[in-house]
Amino acid sequence: KYLKNPFQKNRQTIEKGKIYYEYYCRHCHGEKADGESIVGQSLGVHPQNLTSDEIQSESDGELFLTI
């Protein structure tokens, strides 16, 4: 099943995504998005490594739905 990302992929949305990652995600997923932050490792369920092949193979729509 293919899910569509409702946002256009362009420079503006990519830059906004970086800002949102820094604000909402970096604390747990880490600066390198590998799930190895101090905060993330202190959680009962560790955050996923966003650089893994499994995550990188998902469509933008699937990632959007997960987020």
Side-chain angles (χ1 to χ4, degrees):
K1 184 176 176 181
Y2 180 76
L3 302 169
K4 185 175 175 169
N5 182 346
F7 296 99
Q8 291 182 0
K9 188 174 184 177
N10 58 40
R11 187 177 190 171
Q12 184 179 17
T13 57
I14 290 170
E15 290 303 316
K16 278 187 176 180
K18 288 178 182 180
I19 292 168
Y20 289 134
Y21 180 85
E22 286 295 315
Y23 188 79
Y24 293 108
C25 309
R26 185 181 59 82
H27 307 293
C28 295
H29 288 283
E31 191 172 323
K32 297 177 186 176
D34 59 5
E36 296 295 326
S37 74
I38 293 171
V39 173
Q41 294 304 303
S42 70
L43 300 172
V45 176
H46 294 172
Q48 289 190 327
N49 176 352
L50 303 179
T51 66
S52 71
D53 291 340
E54 177 186 358
I55 300 297
Q56 291 296 308
S57 68
E58 292 185 4
S59 71
D60 287 348
E62 290 170 316
L63 294 171
F64 179 81
L65 180 65
T66 299
I67 294 168

